[in-house]
Amino acid sequence: MTPKGTQTIIFFLLTILSVLSIISIYFVLSFTSNRSFLQYKQKYFAEQTYHISYILRTNIETPLTSEKNKELFDKTAQEFATPVHFFNEDFSKIIYTNEMNHTEFAQPFYIDVPIVKEGEPLGYLRAFYDLDQHIGAPALSMFEKNSQNQLRMIIVIALVVTIIINFFLSRILAKPIKQSAYYALKVLRGNREEFVPRNGTEEIKQLIDGINSLLVEFNNVENWRKQMMEDLTHELRTPLTSVLTRLEAIIDGVYPTTTKNLQDIYDEMERLSRLVANVQRLSEAEGARFKLNIEKVNMVHLVKGVYEGFLFIAKQKEIELNFRNPNKPCTAYVDPDRMIQVVTNIISNALKYTARAGKVEIGIESNDDELIIYCKDNGVGIHEDELSLIFNRFYRTDKSRSREYGGSGIGLSISKALVHAHGGEIGVESEPGEGSKFWVGIPIDNQLVSPEK
Ligand code: ADP
């Protein structure tokens, strides 16, 4: 079976529905009009019978069987051309019949009318009619036929009109779906600039919104992939060239194979391998919003846990590391592992970029709709121009010094991706030579919470 277009399906469904409705309307109308005609005929025949009975009543004489009465009966019956019986008072005997046959009538119908003369009942007149025939009422028969034909005509016109309306209606209804399919196909063929126009019913608009957001997402991922490749090749090129040049020089015998030189090459290689590992972590973090394990977390507990893990390193560097307890419950809906990763990154940076005997403070603050984790140090600080750049991947303020600390400029971009995945923000305030304050804001009423949690 070949697949049918939406327009064809809508058209057929509408047509089937309207044909069924029109046929039902036709049957109801023809049933009620037939009934009215029947009632009208019965009334008409009754009036005719009363008319015969009037003639009889005014002219009849006793005894009933007289010759004159027979003539009267014959004349009247002939005039009205319908089978007629005249019964005695108790219907036990037929006094007169005009011998017309009524037994073969398709729809027999009779009316009894009492014949009373001067207050004395003489008998009953019974007139027979065929409701199927219209003897004596040609105008009625014509009217019945005409109205049936008219009804049929109206039904045929209604069918044609609804089919035409259905055709246009199905076109209007299917248009947004066809349009979405057309644009979706365009996207598949590589045109990612155009968005699907937002037309149609509420559900179709939702579907179009879905396609458009997928398109935005797709473009974002595509741009991210391109940018990532560029950044990565740029980052890998320098250490690789350095290693290759040195190895070449060793092969050419111009660079002595001393332990120190080999150690330098080894360090460079180690940095490269760390960079590759970090890139993998970054890629995971940037895709994190698709797989966060959100739960209700006591943030004081979480941040304090990370802080305690750094106490030893801080002591080694003689840095005074403090935790500022908010002394009130601070809960948020977050992925605890990812949050630990973020807090670890900012504390480790603070310790990295703060000189011996410096000071680092970690704390939590909360307001009605946001929870803020901060990490303040009195370290080297960051120049104003670079404040917005340090969250970009591979960005390091002072390349040589950062390298010294083993930095690859990826930590903060990972943190930024993770915080954004939580619907939050990350930022920094800093003065060169004075220190820096990194902060992470997480919305308390997190929309990411899955319903079962
Ligand atoms: P890295 O691995 O180089 O530390 P990050 O992404 O974590 O990468 O940080 C990016 C850059 O931001 C660092 O190279 C450093 O120059 C700067 N930076 C981060 N934290 C601090 C801080 N607390 N004080 C001063 N500079 C910082």
Side-chain angles (χ1 to χ4, degrees):
M1 209 170 104
T2 50
K4 297 270 179 294
T6 314
Q7 188 185 338
T8 322
I9 292 172
I10 297 177
F11 175 72
F12 273 116
L13 285 178
L14 286 176
T15 307
I16 289 170
L17 275 178
S18 35
V19 166
L20 284 178
S21 327
I22 289 172
I23 288 176
S24 326
I25 291 171
Y26 171 74
F27 278 114
V28 170
L29 282 181
S30 70
F31 175 75
T32 46
S33 78
N34 281 346
R35 239 172 65 148
S36 316
F37 273 117
L38 205 66
Q39 281 168 353
Y40 184 83
K41 274 188 218 168
Q42 286 173 350
K43 228 174 115 195
Y44 176 83
F45 290 140
E47 270 169 20
Q48 188 160 334
T49 315
Y50 280 112
H51 191 51
I52 307 173
S53 80
Y54 175 75
I55 297 171
L56 288 182
R57 197 167 58 231
T58 44
N59 296 303
I60 204 161
E61 54 183 42
T62 39
L64 289 174
T65 45
S66 76
E67 211 35 53
K68 211 172 158 212
N69 273 355
K70 191 171 177 312
E71 265 173 39
L72 172 69
F73 278 135
D74 279 345
K75 206 173 143 234
T76 323
Q78 216 169 8
E79 197 174 318
F80 287 95
T82 197
V84 168
H85 290 349
F86 192 79
F87 287 94
N88 65 352
E89 290 161 75
D90 57 0
F91 283 100
S92 58
K93 195 173 150 204
I94 299 175
I95 295 167
Y96 169 80
T97 169
N98 64 350
E99 309 292 346
M100 277 178 79
N101 192 4
H102 63 83
T103 49
E104 279 165 20
F105 281 1
Q107 234 182 314
F109 170 72
Y110 66 83
I111 298 171
D112 291 332
V113 179
I115 304 291
V116 181
K117 183 135 180 142
E118 288 156 8
E120 199 188 317
L122 298 178
Y124 286 91
L125 173 74
R126 175 172 288 181
F128 293 89
Y129 301 96
D130 187 356
L131 289 175
D132 203 37
Q133 301 275 319
H134 302 286
I135 305 157
L140 184 66
S141 138
M142 186 94 100
F143 180 63
E144 188 179 358
K145 260 204 190 99
N146 278 350
S147 51
Q148 269 171 2
N149 284 345
Q150 269 172 7
L151 185 62
R152 278 189 205 122
M153 186 91 104
I154 290 170
I155 295 297
V156 171
I157 293 172
L159 273 175
V160 174
V161 170
T162 38
I163 287 175
I164 295 170
I165 292 175
N166 287 349
F167 175 75
F168 286 106
L169 206 64
S170 57
R171 237 164 89 133
I172 293 169
L173 287 176
K175 197 177 164 197
I177 301 177
K178 273 178 154 178
Q179 212 172 32
S180 317
Y182 168 75
Y183 278 95
L185 213 67
K186 255 177 128 174
V187 170
L188 270 182
R189 289 188 182 144
N191 181 346
R192 290 175 188 142
E193 307 304 319
E194 267 178 275
F195 286 104
V196 186
R198 212 170 169 275
N199 296 324
T201 59
E202 205 41 50
E203 287 76 14
I204 292 173
K205 278 185 188 155
Q206 281 171 7
L207 179 77
I208 293 172
D209 286 347
I211 296 177
N212 285 343
S213 353
L214 273 179
L215 201 59
V216 171
E217 198 56 53
F218 183 85
N219 285 339
N220 285 346
V221 171
E222 195 59 13
N223 291 341
W224 176 83
R225 194 185 59 82
K226 274 190 204 146
Q227 193 60 45
M228 182 72 163
M229 285 310 288
E230 269 172 35
D231 293 349
L232 197 59
T233 30
H234 175 84
E235 278 307 304
L236 290 174
R237 196 173 300 126
T238 326
L240 265 179
T241 320
S242 148
V243 169
L244 280 176
T245 328
R246 278 190 252 185
L247 283 176
E248 238 180 345
I250 289 176
I251 293 165
D252 293 345
V254 288
Y255 194 59
T257 330
T258 62
T259 315
K260 157 109 190 20
N261 289 346
L262 286 174
Q263 183 66 44
D264 283 352
I265 295 176
Y266 178 82
D267 289 348
E268 201 75 66
M269 288 306 289
E270 203 185 20
R271 232 186 326 269
L272 258 176
S273 110
R274 212 168 33 234
L275 177 68
V276 172
N278 277 339
V279 167
Q280 194 184 353
R281 277 169 51 215
L282 174 64
S283 152
E284 271 169 24
E286 292 192 345
R289 72 194 148 113
F290 301 112
K291 38 183 191 280
L292 285 180
N293 293 318
I294 299 285
E295 47 188 89
K296 193 175 177 187
V297 174
N298 179 339
M299 294 304 284
V300 179
H301 211 185
L302 183 142
V303 177
K304 203 171 174 198
V306 182
Y307 149 80
E308 281 164 358
F310 278 100
L311 281 174
F312 180 72
I313 301 171
K315 204 175 165 199
Q316 272 187 328
K317 247 188 121 178
E318 292 164 24
I319 288 176
E320 189 187 325
L321 179 63
N322 292 315
F323 174 68
R324 193 153 212 213
N325 203 321
N327 291 323
K328 62 171 176 175
C330 293
T331 47
Y333 289 93
V334 293
D335 180 333
D337 292 340
R338 308 293 195 169
M339 268 300 129
I340 289 174
Q341 214 175 325
V342 173
V343 180
T344 304
N345 174 238
I346 56 173
I347 302 181
S348 106
N349 275 353
L351 293 176
K352 234 184 331 185
Y353 301 106
T354 300
R356 204 160 269 277
K359 252 177 132 179
V360 173
E361 181 185 289
I362 302 118
I364 305 180
E365 286 163 359
S366 77
N367 56 39
D368 286 347
D369 41 37
E370 205 182 24
L371 198 138
I372 293 163
I373 303 160
Y374 68 86
C375 178
K376 204 164 96 180
D377 63 60
N378 63 353
V380 293
I382 303 155
H383 198 271
E384 203 187 333
D385 302 342
E386 293 183 296
L387 284 180
S388 59
L389 300 173
I390 53 166
F391 296 98
N392 294 349
R393 24 172 205 262
F394 305 119
Y395 191 85
R396 297 174 291 252
T397 49
D398 179 341
K399 306 259 169 188
S400 55
R401 189 173 51 200
S402 178
R403 271 180 179 224
E404 217 174 279
Y405 295 124
S408 54
I410 280 182
L412 283 178
S413 45
I414 291 180
S415 296
K416 182 175 138 188
L418 292 177
V419 172
H420 281 181
H422 282 83
E425 276 303 328
I426 184 166
V428 61
E429 292 146 25
S430 186
E431 266 306 315
E434 297 285 316
S436 319
K437 182 179 177 182
F438 280 83
W439 56 264
V440 172
I442 297 286
I444 287 173
D445 182 17
N446 204 326
Q447 300 293 314
L448 300 164
V449 189
S450 49
E452 69 270 18
K453 281 172 185 169

